[in-house]
Amino acid sequence: MNLVFLGPPGAGKGTQAKVIAEKNGWAHISTGDMLRAAVKAGSELGAQAQGFMEKGELIPDSLMCAVVADRLKETDCQQGWILDGFPRTRVQADRLDETLASASLKMDHCVYFHIDQEILVARLTGRLTCKGCGANFHVAALPPKEGGVCDHCGGELYTRVDDEEATVRNRLKVYEESTAELIGFYQDGGRLLRVEAEGSVEEVGARLAAQLGDS
Ligand code: AP5
């Protein structure tokens, strides 16, 4: 299955995508993870993206679309994929449709994670991310077994620079201004599945599985 996960920062897209992609053998394509890896590696892409990311702004469409089009050609995408954090603008959504059409591929569903904004601030300011494998934890909702250490790879946990409260609020503003219109775009095209993203990780996962199973 080929899926797009859409929703505001902190809605749980990455948390659910990691689980469902591993379970089904699909590629989990997180544009945020790709950009953070590029910054860490000191690549040209990382140098171009870093300033935008630190302020919670979107990086330019042309750059992002090219990165995703290349990523979708990789062999691990043949069994299916989840695009997590892309598209984020109408230009990106149109370019994605063009890229898929030219490769005779299609996106099966856009899964929209619906959630109240104030819950998002608490989720993001409490997030802990693994420096090694990128896994996400939360100080209260999903604490690691041992403080500061990743359960999966033993890597060090850190707080993302864009998870400071002021930057979180700017990311939510950017989402409303640039990304929220995609809900209507996919709804009108009959491609939207809506999942209520409040509740525990397990509860949201169960709702998501039911939606995908029933679709
Ligand atoms: P990105 O990394 O994509 O950040 P984001 O969209 O802001 O998404 P998040 O990772 O913050 O949220 P999420 O929904 O995945 O939540 P998560 O599962 O982690 O992008 C970062 C930056 O890169 C952007 O600001 C931009 O600059 C750039 N960028 C990326 N893509 C781009 C694009 N397409 N175009 C232009 N620029 C782009 O969960 C959050 C926290 O909540 C975690 O701590 C988790 O443990 C916890 N949690 C999850 N689910 C639950 C639950 N059910 N209950 C309680 N806690 C939960």
Side-chain angles (χ1 to χ4, degrees), residues 160-188:
R160 275 170 45 178
V161 64
D162 60 347
D163 280 344
E164 299 292 333
E165 183 164 345
T167 313
V168 163
R169 292 202 182 271
N170 189 45
R171 287 163 60 201
L172 292 171
K173 183 166 160 277
V174 168
Y175 170 80
E176 287 301 329
E177 288 169 354
S178 303
T179 309
E181 68 166 308
L182 296 183
I183 301 162
F185 172 70
Y186 287 120
Q187 175 89 58
D188 292 347

Side-chain angles (χ1 to χ4, degrees), residues 15-59:
T15 301
Q16 298 298 336
K18 190 172 170 58
V19 174
I20 203 165
E22 269 175 21
K23 187 174 153 206
N24 292 288
W26 301 336
H28 173 200
I29 305 173
S30 159
T31 43
D33 285 351
M34 290 168 79
L35 294 170
R36 280 183 289 279
V39 171
K40 193 172 165 189
S43 70
E44 175 66 30
L45 171 65
Q48 288 178 280
Q50 188 168 16
F52 293 104
M53 296 177 78
E54 285 176 356
K55 285 184 274 184
E57 302 289 338
L58 298 183
I59 71 160

Side-chain angles (χ1 to χ4, degrees), residues 7-16 30-33 35-36 49 52-54 56-61 64 68 84-89 92 122-124 126-128 136-139 141-142 160 162-163 171 197-202 204:
K13 305 178 297 293
T15 301
Q16 298 298 336
S30 159
T31 43
D33 285 351
L35 294 170
R36 280 183 289 279
F52 293 104
M53 296 177 78
E54 285 176 356
E57 302 289 338
L58 298 183
I59 71 160
D61 288 333
M64 203 68 253
V68 171
D84 164 17
F86 183 96
R88 262 172 147 101
T89 65
Q92 293 182 10
R123 281 194 186 176
L124 291 171
R127 173 165 52 190
L128 299 168
N136 281 323
F137 297 86
H138 188 275
V139 287
L142 201 63
R160 275 170 45 178
D162 60 347
D163 280 344
R171 287 163 60 201
E198 288 181 29
S200 69
V201 172
E202 293 75 19
V204 178

